Amino acid sequence: MPAPHDNGHDDLGIAQPPVDLLQQVQADVTRAGGEVAPDPDRIGAIGATMFDLPGSTDHTVTILLPQDQIREAPSQSLVRIKSRDGRKYLAIVTAGPFAEPDSLRADSHLLVTVTARGGVYLPPYHGRLQVAILGEELEDGSLAPPRFRPLPNSPVVALTDDEAGKVLRTDGDIRLGSVVGYRNVVVNVPSDKKAVLPRHLAVLGTTGAGKSTTVARLIQQAQAAGMAVILLDVEGEYTYIHEPTDDAKMLAALADRGLDAAGVPVANTTLYHLVGRDTTNPGHPHRRAFALQFARLSPYVIMNILDLSEAQQLRFMNAYDIAKEVMRDLGIFPARKDAEQERLAAELDEFERGYPRMTLSLLLDVVGACHAKADRPSAEGKKTRTREEDDEPITFKPFNAILASAEGMKSLRTRLHAANVQGNAISWRALLGKLGRLNRLKVFFNEQGGAQPLNYKQLLRPGNVSVVDLSDSGASELNNLVIADLLHGVQDDQDEAYAAYEKATAADPAATQPPRVLIIIEEAHEFLSAERIDKMRILFEQVSTIARRGRKRWLSLAFVTQLPQHLPRQIYGLVNSYILHKITDPQVVRDLQRTVSGIDESLWGRLTGLAPGQAIVSFPHLARPLLVAIDPAPCKLRMVN
């Protein structure tokens, strides 16, 4: 290197810095007050906010990160933005992190050419995030709706797992899974908050998306939290839920999360199946056959389920009223001189339930008697009978033991002749055929012996899991009968328990509250499809009533289906919580977007590509909907994928 001359230039005429340059600079710094202290807000910062662009939208901000900080803010992670105006904001990552080169466009010819030809050139780069503002953080740690936006070049700090859990409000005693983007932030659901589970739940997703695993996990956790769980199992998937899983993939997934395989305690599990029908687990230690109670079913629900024509409905109600009068004459219900039963009979709402102690065999005999009366030929071949001919005794042989008695036949004939029985024999014969088909199912309680009806108080015991296996029912109408009977029975007993609780609370504010109940309806589209609701309006009204009243009485419904498009919009009006697994039909996704509020576009965009076991979870207690990796099922499932 050429030596500098006295004039400060070398042989080439290039100016050289003074020898004491560093001392001069340090002296200038000292005169100016010393070195600038580091910004305390930038301690621990992973990046800073970017300037807004013409395409920027409200409540979203772009953040830039140094190359070595890109992995500190994965998708769905939470960050705190310390705006340069002194305000603090909390935000969640909705897109990114993306990697962008510092001095070149990512699609520049240089980078494209080098990469395409197998080069190893990697220029310096940075990360870019898109975040959604959750709110402005106040001094007491609470969040308020943001009135301003963070200023550019404001430092951004990643929240710890503990901080993120508190902000997202993921606490509760029912564990669902881990937030995608966090290893140690677990999403829980509180079973003891009325604003959460009693507001009803929908678990939606295609076949193989992980719904069964989610339901099994929900059952196991709800039972551990002391809830009474009732599962309507259409396919018989959950009949081994009392055993720990033996599936290799499930065991590996459980071990990865530090969880153990375990079934629901067998002492708390009961498997129910309809009398005369098989179950997928005949060796279950607590297996019970049960019969339906015809008297619990509203006559209007029966007409809906049997799909009676208008003429057949008139005849059905005519016969139903005659049967009630016969029961009153014989003291079956209300019992003679029983004032309480008289009051119940007077206040009975037949849109809600059937006439107490009414049996199908009794109604069949009454319809048969009406048919016999309508089928009698008139004298001299006339099309109509005279009054005297109409009052003649009919020849009829009842099957019901009560009507077979002398007193029973006398009452039947008296009421039959007093009633204005309408219709011809063909119409009555059609009704008799439909009721006969219902009778041939042999699933209704017979007071002379056989399987007993469900004991609803036992179903509602805290910590009990009741699996109702409907896999061998063979007909959707039969499933509908079971569901209608069970829902109404549970509602009646829960209403009674809640009324007792309210009465006890007046004297003792610390009185024990009614059991928290979770009813899970698998394959809900088969029971509550839009097509069925059009035909079974009364049945749907009953479900709506139970759903509305259940919110106040700790009675929660969970609808599970792989065909959400078949559920009517009225059902979604009853639901406040969602677990959305993969849904591939774009039209269904668009319909759900119009129905389910609060889920941002970034999550909707991921719904069609979710991996098995992943789900978008939306509950009222969460700060926002989250993408969650649902925990594996610790118990055994029959048809697990």
Side-chain angles (χ1 to χ4, degrees):
M1 179 177 180
H5 297 287
D6 293 339
N7 59 5
H9 293 74
D10 59 19
D11 293 337
L12 300 177
I14 299 175
Q16 297 294 310
V19 176
D20 61 346
L21 176 61
L22 292 179
Q23 289 81 354
Q24 295 180 32
V25 171
Q26 187 61 47
D28 292 340
V29 170
T30 302
R31 284 193 298 272
E35 295 184 10
V36 177
D39 186 350
D41 287 340
R42 293 197 176 266
I43 298 175
I46 60 171
T49 55
M50 173 72 170
F51 281 95
D52 295 325
L53 300 174
S56 297
T57 58
D58 288 338
H59 302 302
T60 64
V61 176
T62 302
I63 295 174
L64 300 182
L65 300 83
Q67 178 177 329
D68 60 346
Q69 297 289 343
I70 290 180
R71 299 179 64 85
E72 299 301 318
S75 177
Q76 287 203 120
S77 59
L78 292 176
V79 297
R80 177 178 288 110
I81 302 174
K82 301 177 180 179
S83 180
R84 296 168 63 87
D85 59 2
R87 301 177 186 274
K88 293 182 180 180
Y89 300 86
L90 290 181
I92 187 168
V93 176
T94 58
F98 305 110
E100 297 179 337
D102 289 345
S103 56
L104 296 169
R105 287 175 55 92
D107 58 352
S108 66
H109 294 300
L110 173 61
L111 292 182
V112 170
T113 302
V114 171
T115 303
R117 296 183 179 276
V120 294
Y121 173 59
L122 184 66
Y125 62 92
H126 60 271
R128 179 171 58 85
L129 300 174
Q130 200 70 25
V131 299
I133 301 296
L134 297 179
E136 181 180 344
E137 192 175 21
L138 305 180
E139 291 296 331
D140 60 358
S142 61
L143 291 182
R147 295 183 299 156
F148 304 99
R149 295 173 61 81
L151 296 179
N153 202 24
S154 297
V156 178
V157 179
L159 267 63
T160 65
D161 289 354
D162 289 342
E163 289 178 314
K166 292 178 181 178
V167 170
L168 295 174
R169 300 198 295 270
T170 60
D171 58 315
D173 53 355
I174 295 178
R175 171 172 169 148
L176 288 182
S178 303
V179 179
V180 173
Y182 286 96
R183 178 73 176 181
N184 300 314
V185 178
V186 177
V187 174
N188 301 280
V189 178
S191 67
D192 57 353
K193 290 185 178 180
K194 267 192 175 181
V196 183
L197 272 184
R199 299 181 69 182
H200 311 309
L201 166 68
V203 182
L204 313 177
T206 60
T207 302
K211 297 189 305 300
S212 298
T213 300
T214 298
V215 170
R217 182 70 187 174
L218 183 61
I219 293 171
Q220 187 260 349
Q221 289 287 290
Q223 185 278 330
M227 297 187 71
V229 182
I230 303 170
L231 171 66
L232 294 159
D233 187 1
V234 177
E235 300 293 339
E237 290 183 77
Y238 305 91
T239 55
Y240 289 85
I241 201 169
H242 61 289
E243 299 181 15
T245 182
D246 56 2
D247 182 78
K249 293 182 179 179
M250 204 68 72
L251 289 171
L254 286 167
D256 181 62
R257 301 196 188 190
L259 303 174
D260 297 323
V264 175
V266 66
N268 298 92
T269 308
T270 307
L271 176 61
Y272 295 92
H273 63 94
L274 269 172
V275 59
R277 302 300 188 275
D278 292 330
T279 172
T280 55
N281 184 9
H284 195 286
H286 298 148
R287 181 169 61 88
R288 302 283 186 275
F290 71 95
L292 299 178
Q293 297 184 75
F294 186 78
R296 193 178 290 278
L297 297 173
S298 161
Y300 297 95
V301 169
I302 296 172
M303 290 190 294
N304 285 167
I305 291 176
L306 293 180
D307 195 21
L308 300 184
S309 67
E310 185 175 347
Q312 290 167 354
Q313 289 182 24
L314 291 174
R315 286 149 185 74
F316 177 86
M317 291 307 300
N318 197 182
Y320 202 88
D321 289 338
I322 293 173
K324 290 192 299 183
E325 294 301 325
V326 171
M327 292 176 65
R328 176 180 289 275
D329 291 342
L330 301 179
I332 299 173
F333 187 89
R336 295 184 178 97
K337 298 182 180 180
D338 190 321
E340 178 62 18
Q341 289 193 10
E342 287 284 359
R343 183 187 66 80
L344 292 175
E347 296 178 356
L348 180 67
D349 182 359
E350 290 185 345
F351 285 98
E352 290 287 333
R353 61 155 299 155
Y355 196 74
R357 301 199 67 181
M358 175 76 73
T359 63
L360 179 56
S361 62
L362 176 64
L363 184 61
L364 266 171
D365 279 347
V366 173
V367 173
C370 293
H371 170 258
K373 182 175 182 179
D375 197 36
R376 283 186 317 185
S378 62
E380 302 175 357
K382 292 183 292 183
K383 292 184 179 181
T384 58
R385 294 186 295 273
T386 64
R387 175 73 182 189
E388 292 74 15
E389 291 173 333
D390 201 48
D391 287 340
E392 292 176 359
I394 59 173
T395 303
F396 172 70
K397 183 178 180 180
F399 294 97
N400 186 279
I402 297 175
L403 291 183
S405 66
E407 185 182 8
M409 282 300 297
K410 179 181 178 181
S411 171
L412 175 60
R413 284 171 175 155
T414 300
R415 293 299 179 181
L416 193 64
H417 291 313
N420 184 21
V421 177
Q422 300 293 324
N424 56 35
I426 295 176
S427 180
W428 282 104
R429 192 177 302 124
L431 175 60
L432 194 62
K434 290 190 175 183
L435 287 174
R437 181 162 58 89
L438 189 62
N439 187 53
R440 286 191 294 274
L441 294 175
K442 299 185 182 302
V443 295
F444 289 100
F445 172 60
N446 184 346
E447 293 183 349
Q448 282 69 46
Q452 295 295 309
L454 290 169
N455 184 335
Y456 297 105
K457 285 184 171 55
Q458 184 175 354
L459 296 183
L460 298 180
R461 287 174 57 188
N464 267 16
V465 174
S466 305
V467 180
V468 183
D469 185 2
L470 299 175
S471 58
D472 192 39
S473 64
S476 58
E477 291 87 354
L478 185 53
N479 286 349
N480 292 343
L481 284 171
V482 174
I483 296 173
D485 179 274
L486 187 142
L487 289 179
H488 203 282
V490 169
Q491 179 194 352
D492 284 351
D493 273 42
Q494 188 72 350
D495 283 350
E496 181 181 330
Y498 200 81
Y501 165 70
E502 289 182 324
K503 184 177 180 180
T505 304
D508 179 12
T512 303
Q513 68 177 18
R516 294 162 293 150
V517 184
L518 175 62
I519 302 177
I520 302 174
I521 304 176
E522 273 277 349
E523 306 295 339
H525 59 274
E526 294 187 4
F527 174 58
L528 293 169
S529 68
E531 179 182 357
R532 290 189 185 280
I533 284 179
D534 288 339
K535 295 180 180 179
M536 299 188 294
R537 176 60 54 183
I538 302 300
L539 182 58
F540 175 71
E541 290 298 332
Q542 282 194 348
V543 174
S544 299
T545 300
I546 293 171
R548 289 192 297 269
R549 295 171 67 177
R551 294 178 178 180
K552 299 180 180 179
R553 292 166 172 78
W554 293 104
L555 185 59
S556 176
L557 299 177
F559 305 98
V560 185
T561 180
Q562 62 191 16
L563 297 171
Q565 65 270 30
H566 287 186
L567 288 181
R569 292 184 63 87
Q570 298 96 311
I571 288 295
Y572 294 115
L574 303 175
V575 172
N576 293 87
S577 303
Y578 290 88
I579 300 178
L580 304 178
H581 287 276
K582 179 180 180 180
I583 298 176
T584 55
D585 189 333
Q587 182 60 49
V588 175
V589 175
R590 286 193 291 270
D591 290 343
L592 287 174
Q593 281 183 279
R594 291 192 291 267
T595 304
V596 184
S597 61
I599 300 179
D600 57 48
E601 289 293 333
S602 65
L603 289 180
W604 284 119
R606 302 176 73 165
L607 185 59
T608 58
L610 294 182
Q614 288 187 337
I616 297 172
V617 174
S618 175
F619 279 84
H621 72 290
L622 295 175
R624 73 186 306 276
L626 297 169
L627 180 58
V628 177
I630 303 294
D631 285 340
C635 41
K636 185 176 181 179
L637 298 174
R638 283 188 60 245
M639 295 180 282
V640 65
N641 291 323

